[in-house]
Amino acid sequence: ASIVALTLPLLLVIPPGTVAFGLALRSEDERRELQTSLREQTIRFEAVFNAMSEGVIVADTEGRIVLANPMAAKLTGSDPSNSVPRLVGDFGPMLPDRSGPYPRDRLPLSLAVAGESSDDVEVVFRTPDGDRLLSTAARPLRDAQGTPRGGVVVFRDVTAAKAVHHALRRSQERFHEAISAMESGFALFDADDRLVAYNAGFINPEQKKELGDPIGMTFEEISRAFAQSDALTAAGALQDREVWEKWRLEMHRNPPE
């Protein structure tokens, strides 16, 4: 009864229209705050998205590109964010061996749009600066209800890394070719005294059959195997294997100048 007694005079003093207007103003303020918050979040997202060192392209469920950052244009040599919607297969990527065009339906982003994830798929893009090898990872996009919304692919430039890897591999091949051609025995051990390279003058094919793969074995393990195994025993170890093993280790650790 007291609440009614207080409410009735207020309604007489403050018309219902004024109350509704006040609620509308509050709603408008909340709406503006929400819009401001969303605008600030969008600005932050765009700043991060555009500054990424990896290329990112997003496509809708029809395979049309709807979002791409500047790095994607740089890495692929083609601007995917122009005014005309483009399909994910319009960039001319080639197979890593450059034998022909990459099948459009097997492109990482095409697979992502179709609901299939992929990692470390390498494609070659022909750009004005030359061929660029990109490693890609793609994922399908789904909303909170699990409804497909398209796909996203991330590009990472591995051109330089692959070139260095290829040069290193070729250097290793040449190194092994050189030591294999040497007439004298050759062996290379790492800082932990484990064998990393050798030729037939150090361990010949017949000895390797008995010893197994010596790579990774320490010099002491190899010496002990030669001293103790009848199939491997060196001529100098026949008289006293223990003395020969100690002598061999001493020569390895303190070679004569």
Side-chain angles (χ1 to χ4, degrees), residues 198-209 226 232:
Y198 68 99
N199 66 359
F202 181 72
I203 298 176
N204 63 44
E206 290 300 319
Q207 292 170 329
K208 183 177 178 180
K209 288 181 181 179
F226 270 83
L232 296 173

Side-chain angles (χ1 to χ4, degrees), residues 146-158:
T147 304
R149 295 299 181 187
V152 59
V153 64
V154 178
F155 296 95
R156 182 168 54 88
D157 191 354
V158 295

Side-chain angles (χ1 to χ4, degrees), residues 3-19:
I3 294 176
V4 173
L6 290 173
T7 303
L8 288 176
L10 284 173
L11 290 176
L12 292 175
V13 176
I14 306 175
T18 304
V19 175

Side-chain angles (χ1 to χ4, degrees), residues 103-123:
R104 176 177 293 183
D105 60 346
R106 298 309 299 170
L107 285 169
L109 188 51
S110 298
L111 295 177
V113 171
E116 183 177 340
S117 297
S118 60
D119 286 309
D120 298 326
V121 177
E122 293 182 351
V123 292

Side-chain angles (χ1 to χ4, degrees), residues 51-62:
M52 291 179 66
S53 60
E54 297 177 329
V56 181
I57 296 178
V58 180
D60 62 17
T61 54
E62 301 300 322

Side-chain angles (χ1 to χ4, degrees), residues 49-57 68-81 86 91 124-134 155-159:
F49 187 66
N50 292 333
M52 291 179 66
S53 60
E54 297 177 329
V56 181
I57 296 178
N69 68 348
M71 185 57 69
K74 178 180 179 181
L75 294 181
T76 62
S78 178
D79 186 5
S81 59
R86 306 184 65 183
F91 295 97
V124 175
F125 281 83
R126 292 216 160 146
T127 72
D129 299 326
D131 288 358
R132 194 187 300 274
L133 180 62
L134 306 180
F155 296 95
R156 182 168 54 88
D157 191 354
V158 295
T159 309

Side-chain angles (χ1 to χ4, degrees), residues 7 11 19 46 48 50 57 81 114 139 142 148-149 152 164-165 168 192 206 218 238-239 241 244 247:
T7 303
L11 290 176
V19 175
E46 289 180 348
V48 173
N50 292 333
I57 296 178
S81 59
R139 295 288 184 275
R142 296 183 176 88
R149 295 299 181 187
V152 59
V164 171
H165 178 75
L168 179 61
D192 296 322
E206 290 300 319
T218 65
L238 293 176
Q239 295 180 354
R241 301 187 183 199
W244 179 86
W247 168 82

